[in-house]
Amino acid sequence: MHHPGNVFVVSAPSGAGKSTLVRRLVSTVPNLIFSISFTTRKPRPGEVDGLDYFYIDDASFEAMVREGGFVEWVEVYGYRYGTGRDWLNGVLASGQDVLLDIETTGALNLRRAIPDACMIFILPPSVAALEERLRSRGKDSDEQIRIRLEYALHEMEQYPAYDYLVLNDDLELAYRRFESIILATRASRERMAPAAQRILEGF
Ligand code: ADP
Ligand code: 5GP
């Protein structure tokens, strides 16, 4: 998949604070588009169709799978989630940077399709903090929290596949770490070489 923009993939065990950090990042950093996934999960209170996710039913999801409509998709926590191929290609073709908030299995599949994707993992300070955050969010049932904690171990084990690990202890510090990674990646020599060449040619 050829693309002029940067692709950022962010994963974390559920409850680590990924959505909190990602929401702030995409509303603060210009030219960074949040990848809106498709899901069969129902919207949580406050979530908006077409903003947080595209909420679709099982049959529609199944049809998209059959038609090859997903770059990657998974089933976790009893629901299915996928990155729409047309949607992602459209954003990438526009040259803007895109940030995908996806779990680890999908992230590893995506990296196969886009090898230069920058992979970022959000770490909770501890297992106890993770559980406390899931409970304090107050948006999942006890059963959902139990399933998410079980999967958290699997998610944590995947951290070696990521390029950056952001510890989310203090939220402000964590945000600064996170934003710095985006800005530093954009400033890499590889990414900035065409701009440097244009300046050189002006001499
Ligand atoms: P995720 O998207 O990773 O599942 P959320 O962003 O929904 O997690 O965060 C889970 C809960 O933890 C939310 O209630 C959020 O306000 C809280 N939270 C996030 N970051 C911190 C932090 N650094 N310190 C304390 N609470 C946090
Ligand atoms: P939630 O139900 O909390 O919104 O999301 C559950 C998990 O699914 C999160 O870890 C989130 O990152 C992940 N997720 C959301 N969309 C996608 C997607 O399109 N693909 C994959 N692989 N995971 C996704």
Side-chain angles (χ1 to χ4, degrees), residues 18 37 41 44 53 72 74 81-83 101-103 148:
K18 178 168 48 119
S37 295
R41 169 167 81 61
R44 293 195 185 107
Y53 284 102
E72 60 76 33
V74 289
Y81 299 82
T83 305
D101 169 343
I102 60 179
E103 54 69 64
R148 280 166 188 265

Side-chain angles (χ1 to χ4, degrees), residues 87-103:
W87 194 91
L88 183 63
N89 282 340
V91 178
L92 291 180
S94 75
Q96 298 178 89
D97 289 354
V98 64
L99 185 144
L100 295 100
D101 169 343
I102 60 179
E103 54 69 64

Side-chain angles (χ1 to χ4, degrees), residues 12-21 23 44 101 133-134 136-138 148 168-172 174:
S14 186
K18 178 168 48 119
S19 309
T20 306
L21 290 165
R23 277 195 201 114
R44 293 195 185 107
D101 169 343
R133 286 180 191 177
L134 276 173
S136 72
R137 182 164 71 185
R148 280 166 188 265
N168 183 17
D169 43 6
D170 174 77
L171 188 57
E172 282 309 309

Side-chain angles (χ1 to χ4, degrees), residues 1-16:
M1 210 180 265
H2 176 73
H3 60 90
N6 294 293
V7 176
F8 298 98
V9 175
V10 186
S11 305
S14 186

Side-chain angles (χ1 to χ4, degrees), residues 179-191:
E179 193 185 58
S180 303
I181 294 165
I182 308 298
L183 301 183
T185 301
R186 284 181 169 178
S188 73
R189 184 183 60 226
E190 201 185 354
R191 287 291 175 190

